[in-house]
Amino acid sequence: MIIVSMLVSLGLWLGARDSFEVSVIKDRNVLYRTLYSGETENSFTLKLLNKTNKISHFHISTDLGDGFKIIGTTEVSLKSQEHKEVTITIRSPKNYDNIFRKFHFNISGDTNVINYNSVVTLP
């Protein structure tokens, strides 16, 4: 009876487990960079982990809207159980006047989507 309950618990745990994991780290060395063009940049490191037993493809986007650009790769492929760090930069439009702007990174994989809260800092 104990073995059956342990197997059921293991099956439920495996079924509820996310197929990938994401961590987002804001660049700590520089709060933001102002370019000569008047645009502002914020850098982030995304740590991605594929927890499946097959190759998975991920797409990185944000909900910042028009004028904001992602500089760097937005398409990532990971082998089974592979961990990868991806550095991307968010560039704001010229003369954007908010100091802080909350947004979400949307990381969509083959099977699900993770939304990760973050903040863009501007001068």
Side-chain angles (χ1 to χ4, degrees), residues 12-118:
L12 291 173
W13 175 75
L14 287 174
R17 184 176 102 146
D18 289 332
S19 60
F20 67 95
E21 186 176 304
V22 176
S23 298
V24 177
I25 301 170
K26 176 116 173 54
D27 184 2
R28 295 182 184 158
N29 295 323
V30 179
L31 189 59
Y32 60 85
R33 287 183 298 279
T34 303
L35 306 176
Y36 289 115
S37 64
E39 299 166 308
T40 303
E41 292 184 338
N42 286 249
S43 293
F44 299 86
T45 299
L46 282 67
K47 295 183 178 185
L48 304 169
L49 172 62
N50 178 9
K51 295 182 180 180
T52 67
N53 292 323
K54 61 181 181 175
I55 294 175
S56 292
H57 306 281
F58 302 94
H59 177 74
I60 302 166
S61 61
T62 69
D63 62 358
L64 284 168
D66 294 337
F68 285 87
K69 298 177 202 161
I70 294 179
I71 310 300
T73 186
T74 58
E75 302 292 331
V76 180
S77 293
L78 296 176
K79 296 176 186 172
S80 171
Q81 307 300 320
E82 184 180 10
H83 173 267
K84 190 179 279 188
E85 292 187 10
V86 177
T87 300
I88 64 169
T89 300
I90 305 290
R91 187 176 291 166
S92 71
K94 294 179 185 177
N95 304 319
Y96 187 77
D97 59 356
N98 284 351
I99 295 176
F100 296 103
R101 175 152 180 195
K102 293 182 181 180
F103 71 98
H104 294 94
F105 278 107
N106 303 312
I107 297 97
S108 54
D110 295 333
T111 57
N112 58 0
V113 175
I114 292 179
N115 294 315
Y116 197 95
N117 297 327
S118 196

